[in-house]
Amino acid sequence: MAFAESSGGDGPPASRRSLVPLLAVCAGYFMVILDVTVINVAVPVIGRELSASLTGIQWITDGYTLVFAGFLLTGGALGDRLGNRRVFCAGVAVFTVSSAACAFAPTTPFLVAARLVEGLGAALIVPGSLALLQQAYPDPADRSRAFGLWGSVAGIAASAGPLLGGLLVSTVGWRWVFLINLPVGVACLVLTPRHVARSPRLAGRALDWPAQCAVVAAVASLTAALNEAGRRGWSDPAVLAGVGLSVVAAVAFVVRERLARAPALPPGLLRSPALGGGAVIGLLFNFGFYGMVFTASLDFQHQRGFSALVTGAALFPAVAMTMFASVLSGRLTRRTGDRPLVVSGMLLAALGLGGWAAAGDDPGYALLVVPMMAAGFGTSFALTGSTSTIMGAVPPAYSGTASALFNTTRQLGSATGVALGGTLLATAATYGSGLRLSMAVGALAYLTAATLAWWCVPSRTGREALAGH
């Protein structure tokens, strides 16, 4: 992957030097997404060794996700105000230290507390990662390739988590699920200050704490409700209460934003089709992809009897395509613009999940390889253009906030896809029919995203206009 040469004085060749910011930022992002899925294989063993209750096991898994999703917009706002590089490095430091605390946790409450802090570190890392890449690669073609690889990191980390977790748990023990973050975090902290330029600080921009608290309450309560819906059902009082609280908090946020002198998300930005539509597209394709990964994992382990290691290997076709698709989309975007890539990627992913749904209640694994490859390729192929659309729709002063909005909606899409997939499997007449229905719903989400992309993702000319915005 060839990036444009960077300017600078003495030091390593520019082509090599220009890759370092990408490696540093993606390393931090990889840790964050890996920790969402790698824990799923390890948590039964953790529960046995620490004598954890069912509630404790649930909080080990969900506490991280709740804090991560809830504080993303706060992390983005802090990055815009204090400098994205500073907040990104602070997030990596918090994440690395809390990972060490998780690894050496003596009790379940200690581990849950460390996981909550780890989620806070993740919420500081992710918004700054996109903003730093936008800053490090001003050339549109280089930036698109960087965004593509950034996006493929998420798919690889999420899908490889069960395989890596199973390997570590079965060989060196569950504590290494957290210890592997330490060298990655240290490398990231060494590389980022040396090779990523200092970000501008907008100290005069107020941080609207009432609005931020409302966002945290809305996103965390909705994520909690979605996580519980897969286990308890959508009519459970706790689930309904979580949804109700999220609605109340969202209304409070809107009211506060209309009254605030310096709103966290200015209404003018949200009215932009590129920003608002791009955020919804992110929600929809995460809904489809992670819903597919979750239901496929359950099918492989519970119905087909695959071990955790074999399940990770069985999901590899989807993972393998994400890297290839991101590189290809990054190379094509200068010629085609973002819209054709997003639309075609969503249509291909829809065909993949539609093909799975049409394969029958108990298809052989060989029949599922191509649908998984299509879903992985299509999602990653579309992610580059979606990311470019979001980041190009706002002025640099709001780059961290835009990144946080995009990742918040994607996180909610993932939670919704997992929750609905679990519900459909639990309530369908047969397991096979529930799986087919889940895949069909995912295909519909991809088709909706393709339709929305045709309307809101700018053409090549439109993207160039946004870049000059």
Side-chain angles (χ1 to χ4, degrees):
M1 180 172 132
F3 285 90
E5 292 192 355
S6 304
S7 60
D10 297 335
S15 59
R16 183 184 305 170
R17 186 170 61 247
S18 65
L19 283 171
V20 178
L22 178 63
L23 295 175
V25 170
C26 285
Y29 187 49
F30 182 85
M31 289 192 305
V32 168
I33 303 303
L34 183 69
D35 260 43
V36 176
T37 57
V38 73
I39 193 68
N40 292 328
V41 176
V43 76
V45 179
I46 296 174
R48 288 195 301 270
E49 291 197 8
L50 297 183
S51 300
S53 65
L54 178 59
T55 301
I57 290 174
Q58 290 173 341
W59 271 102
I60 291 170
T61 304
D62 295 340
Y64 173 85
T65 306
L66 295 185
V67 176
F68 174 33
F71 282 89
L72 272 169
L73 278 173
T74 302
L78 286 172
D80 289 337
R81 189 171 191 270
L82 303 178
N84 283 299
R85 192 184 76 170
R86 173 179 294 186
V87 173
F88 176 84
C89 289
V92 173
V94 170
F95 193 93
T96 304
V97 172
S98 57
S99 293
C102 289
F104 296 105
T107 63
T108 300
F110 188 99
L111 178 57
V112 169
R115 287 283 284 171
L116 295 175
V117 177
E118 202 178 34
L120 179 61
L124 298 177
I125 291 172
V126 172
S129 64
L130 269 181
L132 290 176
L133 289 182
Q134 185 179 36
Q135 170 189 310
Y137 301 104
D139 179 76
D142 288 350
R143 187 186 308 140
S144 293
R145 292 171 188 151
F147 284 167
L149 285 180
W150 175 90
S152 71
V153 163
I156 293 170
S159 302
L163 178 62
L164 180 59
L167 181 63
L168 291 172
V169 170
S170 61
T171 54
V172 291
W174 67 265
R175 296 183 186 275
W176 280 91
V177 168
F178 301 105
L179 286 173
I180 59 171
N181 292 330
L182 272 59
V184 179
V186 170
C188 190
L189 287 173
V190 170
L191 292 174
T192 302
R194 293 183 60 188
H195 297 280
V196 177
R198 193 186 300 259
S199 305
R201 297 176 58 187
L202 303 173
R205 182 176 161 193
L207 193 64
D208 190 351
W209 285 111
Q212 296 295 335
C213 291
V215 168
V216 171
V219 175
S221 58
L222 181 57
T223 304
L226 292 172
N227 284 341
E228 291 300 316
R231 287 191 285 263
R232 299 170 179 255
W234 293 90
S235 60
D236 184 85
V239 174
L240 295 177
V243 173
L245 177 60
S246 71
V247 171
V248 171
V251 171
F253 172 75
V254 172
V255 172
R256 172 65 189 180
E257 289 295 90
R258 290 184 178 277
L259 299 176
R261 292 183 178 179
L265 283 171
L269 291 181
L270 285 178
R271 286 194 292 268
S272 163
L275 182 63
V280 175
I281 290 171
L283 185 151
L284 290 170
F285 67 59
N286 264 42
F287 173 92
F289 183 75
Y290 290 104
M292 182 271 290
V293 170
F294 175 74
T295 52
S297 297
L298 290 181
D299 177 58
F300 293 157
Q301 293 191 61
H302 294 171
Q303 297 299 113
R304 300 171 188 262
F306 292 178
S307 67
L309 282 173
V310 175
T311 296
L315 290 169
F316 184 74
V319 181
M321 297 308 295
T322 58
M323 180 66 75
F324 174 67
S326 68
V327 173
L328 181 61
S329 61
R331 292 185 180 278
L332 290 177
T333 187
R334 173 174 281 184
R335 301 176 187 174
T336 65
D338 294 328
R339 183 189 296 161
L341 303 182
V342 179
V343 172
S344 60
M346 294 295 91
L347 291 176
L348 180 60
L351 283 174
L353 296 195
W356 187 316
D361 282 357
D362 189 23
Y365 173 76
L367 292 177
L368 306 180
V369 173
V370 171
M372 284 192 293
M373 292 175 68
F377 184 96
T379 303
S380 186
F381 197 68
L383 180 55
T384 302
S386 303
T387 306
S388 297
T389 297
I390 286 280
M391 298 305 293
V394 298
Y398 286 93
S399 61
T401 300
S403 171
L405 174 65
F406 186 45
N407 284 286
T408 299
T409 58
R410 289 181 62 202
Q411 186 69 24
L412 291 176
S414 302
T416 308
V418 169
L420 184 59
T423 300
L424 292 174
L425 291 178
T427 58
T430 66
Y431 195 92
S433 64
L435 184 64
R436 293 175 66 190
L437 180 58
S438 177
M439 295 302 172
V441 172
L444 180 61
Y446 279 125
L447 287 175
T448 305
T451 303
L452 185 59
W454 186 262
W455 170 68
C456 73
V457 175
S459 62
R460 184 176 182 179
T461 303
R463 187 186 68 166
E464 291 168 353
L466 283 174
H469 167 36

